[in-house]
Amino acid sequence: STKILFDWFKQHNFNIYHEPNLEQARLKSYELSSAIILLENIRFFDGERTPSMPFAKQLAATGDIYINDAFGTAHRAHASTAL
């Protein structure tokens, strides 16, 4: 889970929100232009491992920057890396 990272960002004065729900994260991204929205580990989401084009489109519409730090899984054909 990415939840363990949240406290570090808060302690370093980042304007950050942890969001376990992709739809809510997308809505927040429109409301909070200067905030960081830390998504839950996307491997927990339906549509990531399948892979699902609708999920990939939702993910792409969520924010301006996506950082994938899962180098060990970057070669897999999942929604966040292949679609």
Side-chain angles (χ1 to χ4, degrees):
S1 175
T2 58
K3 184 87 173 152
I4 62 171
L5 303 171
F6 185 74
D7 288 338
W8 183 90
F9 281 100
K10 278 298 204 187
Q11 289 171 359
H12 290 84
N13 298 318
F14 284 88
N15 184 17
I16 189 166
Y17 298 86
H18 184 265
E19 188 54 64
N21 179 293
L22 188 58
E23 183 62 27
Q24 291 299 317
R26 193 168 64 82
L27 293 173
K28 280 184 185 172
S29 71
Y30 291 114
E31 298 170 8
L32 306 167
S33 61
S34 64
I36 296 171
I37 299 172
L38 180 63
L39 283 176
E40 182 53 271
N41 184 336
I42 60 170
R43 294 180 57 77
F44 297 162
F45 288 89
D46 291 335
E48 167 62 0
R49 294 182 188 192
T50 309
S52 162
M53 183 57 79
F55 175 75
K57 287 181 179 181
Q58 279 185 323
L59 188 60
T62 300
D64 295 326
I65 299 171
Y66 169 75
I67 299 170
N68 181 0
D69 70 342
F71 181 76
T73 62
H75 67 283
R76 297 181 184 161
H78 291 165
S80 64
T81 57
L83 297 181

